[in-house]
Amino acid sequence: MNKSNGCDRHQKGAALLVALIMLLISTLIGLASIRGTTLNEKMSSNMFDRSIAYQAAESALRMAEAELEANQTLGVDCTFIPPANRFCPSMPANTFSFSDSSGWFDVDSSYLVNDTLLDSTPQYYIEKMGSIDAFDFVGSDSANDSMYGAPGGGGSQMTQFRITARSGVPSENGRSVVALQITVNQTL
């Protein structure tokens, strides 16, 4: 005959309840770690897109500088040196426009840009800001002015250009677009 002691009658499935609670907790921890991993992957992907876009915009700046060295007549005339008759916005109005690309030049293939990753070609926009005396720019006599002319009159002149570069034409695909801007002073 099998005798049982009185302890068996008092157990009502507590082990099952504890196991289910532990399973629920481990499932929640697993889901939280999956969510964190997915978020990290998205952030890493966005940083990669931004890095590629930044490199493309820098490439466009380099090409625009080379174009200016070869030909100083480039650029949209946007004089701001007094007396300024026109308003010159800090960035071209169509920098982040989906449809308007007027005034923007594409970077050619000699500037090694991986446009397959960008889904677009980097572009630049050149604005001719005006001419100033070299003396006004450096704040004192330049060696050129000391030798060949007085500051503020008859001395060397500099032309200022503003170059705005963007990593590509903005599109609706959600890719990063980086815009960079520099000012270039060239002696005439």
Side-chain angles (χ1 to χ4, degrees), residues 162-174:
R162 181 169 57 197
I163 302 171
T164 304
R166 64 183 180 187
S167 58
V169 179
S171 64
E172 296 177 1
N173 65 3

Side-chain angles (χ1 to χ4, degrees), residues 19 47-48 53 62 72 82 92 97 99-100 103 108 113 130 142 152 156 178-179 183:
M47 286 302 292
F48 178 76
R62 282 194 303 273
Q72 289 189 5
S97 171
S99 58
D100 183 16
D108 64 24
V113 176
S142 67
S156 60
V178 173
T183 302

Side-chain angles (χ1 to χ4, degrees), residues 117-137:
L117 289 174
L118 291 169
D119 297 334
S120 187
T121 303
Q123 297 179 320
Y124 60 90
Y125 190 94
I126 300 174
E127 297 168 285
K128 185 175 183 179
M129 305 302 281
S131 297
I132 60 171
D133 291 334
F135 174 78
D136 293 338
F137 177 69

Side-chain angles (χ1 to χ4, degrees), residues 15-82:
L16 178 62
L17 183 62
V18 170
L20 287 175
I21 290 173
M22 294 300 282
L23 184 61
L24 179 66
I25 290 172
S26 60
T27 302
L28 291 175
I29 290 172
L31 289 174
S33 66
I34 289 172
R35 183 177 175 186
T37 301
T38 304
L39 182 63
N40 283 336
E41 184 178 345
K42 286 179 183 178
M43 288 189 307
S44 174
S45 175
N46 286 340
M47 286 302 292
F48 178 76
D49 276 355
R50 184 189 169 282
S51 177
I52 295 295
Y54 192 86
Q55 291 171 17
E58 283 183 327
S59 169
L61 284 179
R62 282 194 303 273
M63 181 168 177
E65 285 179 303
E67 291 290 322
L68 275 179
E69 285 181 22
N71 183 7
Q72 289 189 5
T73 61
L74 288 174
V76 175
D77 190 21
C78 189
T79 306
F80 77 97
I81 307 296

